[in-house]
């Protein structure tokens, strides 16, 4: 079976993401929000499409600053839906604004999005999916799984034989610190 670790490292777009970001822990709210929104926008599309549009997403969504995006109104939504540089899907645009607002709520209760994630760790994938569906919009099982793998909360971003696997472990991703026992 071919894995992302087999094909990504030398690819123009996938390589830098695979080698320096995928599976590494994130703490910054803007970076976490960006990763969540990129995963949401990837739904139904290829990850390569998202990587190629990443800079346009950053410009369109104010650097993924949750305070900025949470304040978006009808004019901003119209602008986003007209921006050919990003994915122009009303549900995904609406999810960005709502999810930014939710992150601001999480800051009040947990200090940050990262604090909220840490407060709920460890959980099984199924428990995470349920929590995300209760908290955020447009967060199905695959989106939540990829998001959490990409930020180090769930294992599986890299195969053990991948050199990047060892690099991620040096950063002590949350999944490596505790083993999740699935509740039955």
């Amino acid at each position: 079976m071919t894995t992302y670790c087999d094909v990504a490292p030398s690819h123009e777009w996938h390589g830098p993401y695979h080698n320096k970001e995928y599976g590494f822990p994130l703490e910054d709210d803007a970076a976490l929000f960006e990763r969540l929104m990129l995963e949401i926008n990837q739904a139904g599309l290829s990850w390569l499409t998202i990587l190629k549009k990443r800079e346009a997403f950053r410009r369109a969504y104010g650097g993924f600053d949750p305070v900025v995006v949470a304040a978006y109104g009808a004019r901003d939504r119209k602008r986003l839906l007209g921006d050919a540089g990003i994915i122009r899907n009303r549900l995904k645009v609406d999810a960005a604004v709502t999810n930014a607002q939710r992150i601001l709520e999480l800051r009040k209760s947990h200090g940050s999005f990262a604090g909220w994630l840490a407060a709920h760790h460890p959980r099984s994938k199924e428990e995470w999916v349920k929590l995300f569906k209760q908290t955020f919009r447009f967060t199905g099982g695959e989106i939540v799984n990829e998001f959490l793998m990409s930020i180090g909360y769930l294992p599986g971003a890299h195969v053990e034989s991948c050199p990047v696997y060892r690099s991620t472990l040096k950063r002590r991703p949350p999944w490596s610190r505790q083993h999740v026992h699935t509740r039955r």
Side-chain angles (χ1 to χ4, degrees):
M1 179 170 111
T2 303
T3 69
Y4 193 57
C5 296
D6 294 327
V7 297
S10 62
H11 189 274
E12 174 186 6
W13 293 93
H14 290 290
Y17 177 74
H18 170 273
N19 298 341
K20 297 179 179 157
E21 294 183 69
Y22 192 49
F24 289 89
L26 287 178
E27 297 281 328
D28 178 73
D29 275 2
L32 287 165
F33 180 45
E34 174 185 19
R35 191 71 58 84
L36 178 60
M37 291 314 306
L38 293 178
E39 292 295 347
I40 287 171
N41 276 279
Q42 189 269 330
L45 302 167
S46 75
W47 188 241
L48 180 58
T49 297
I50 300 306
L51 290 175
K52 287 181 176 181
K53 291 180 174 279
R54 192 173 191 182
E55 287 306 316
F57 273 112
R58 285 180 177 150
R59 284 189 301 275
Y61 284 100
F64 288 101
D65 181 338
V67 173
V68 171
V69 179
Y72 282 178
R75 176 179 280 162
D76 295 297
R77 290 172 198 247
K78 184 176 180 180
R79 172 184 56 81
L80 292 167
L81 291 170
D83 188 337
I86 65 169
I87 306 303
R88 297 175 289 179
N89 176 301
R90 185 172 307 279
L91 294 175
K92 293 175 181 182
V93 168
D94 289 345
V97 177
T98 300
N99 291 343
Q101 293 165 348
R102 298 275 164 77
I103 289 171
L104 297 185
E105 292 169 14
L106 298 178
R107 284 180 175 176
K108 292 177 187 172
S109 61
H110 292 86
S112 65
F113 188 8
W116 179 83
L117 288 163
H120 289 90
H121 179 72
R123 288 179 180 255
S124 68
K125 175 186 163 185
E126 294 76 21
E127 291 168 327
W128 277 115
V129 170
K130 183 177 179 184
L131 179 64
F132 267 74
K133 284 184 175 186
Q134 293 169 347
T135 309
F136 295 103
R137 290 186 59 192
F138 213 103
T139 51
E142 192 61 29
I143 290 167
V144 172
N145 182 59
E146 280 298 324
F147 171 68
L148 292 171
M149 274 197 324
S150 80
I151 63 167
Y153 270 85
L154 289 177
H158 300 277
V159 296
E160 288 186 36
S161 60
C162 177
V164 179
Y165 178 84
R166 289 183 293 287
S167 297
T168 63
L169 281 181
K170 287 179 186 174
R171 296 273 309 277
R172 299 194 68 237
W175 71 262
S176 72
R177 291 182 240 150
Q178 293 182 355
H179 293 295
V180 176
H181 300 287
T182 305
R183 298 178 193 135
R184 298 245 184 245

